Amino acid sequence: QLYREAPVTIVREGGLVEGVVDIAFDTADGFVVLDFKTDRAEGEVRSNYATQVALYAEAIAQATGRPARAVLMSV
């Protein structure tokens, strides 16, 4: 199963975090959640992007009850 531009929501620190997953797909070991970035992010910006995709994976794991792995890709 492949999901593109899938909306996700998760509650974090008493607030609602919403986003749109670029691509997620189901494997025998759980979901792989991909987020694509087209800029040359470094340092804090790259760290923020990694946090973003990790939250997406966490939201998918909570919603499905299956493991989810976050992957940040720069293109």
Side-chain angles (χ1 to χ4, degrees):
Q1 192 82 10
L2 175 69
Y3 302 90
R4 293 182 198 156
E5 299 296 323
V8 294
T9 304
I10 189 170
V11 176
R12 279 299 237 174
E13 299 174 10
L16 205 56
V17 177
E18 298 178 309
V20 178
V21 173
D22 290 334
I23 293 178
F25 56 92
D26 198 2
T27 72
D29 297 324
F31 282 88
V32 176
V33 181
L34 298 172
D35 194 42
F36 297 98
K37 299 299 182 189
T38 57
D39 59 346
R40 296 184 70 182
E42 296 176 358
E44 186 177 343
V45 173
R46 184 161 182 80
S47 177
N48 290 341
Y49 288 163
T51 299
Q52 177 186 21
V53 71
L55 284 170
Y56 292 170
E58 185 179 342
I60 289 173
Q62 284 184 8
T64 64
R66 298 193 35 146
R69 181 170 60 101
V71 178
L72 178 61
M73 297 187 74
S74 298
V75 294

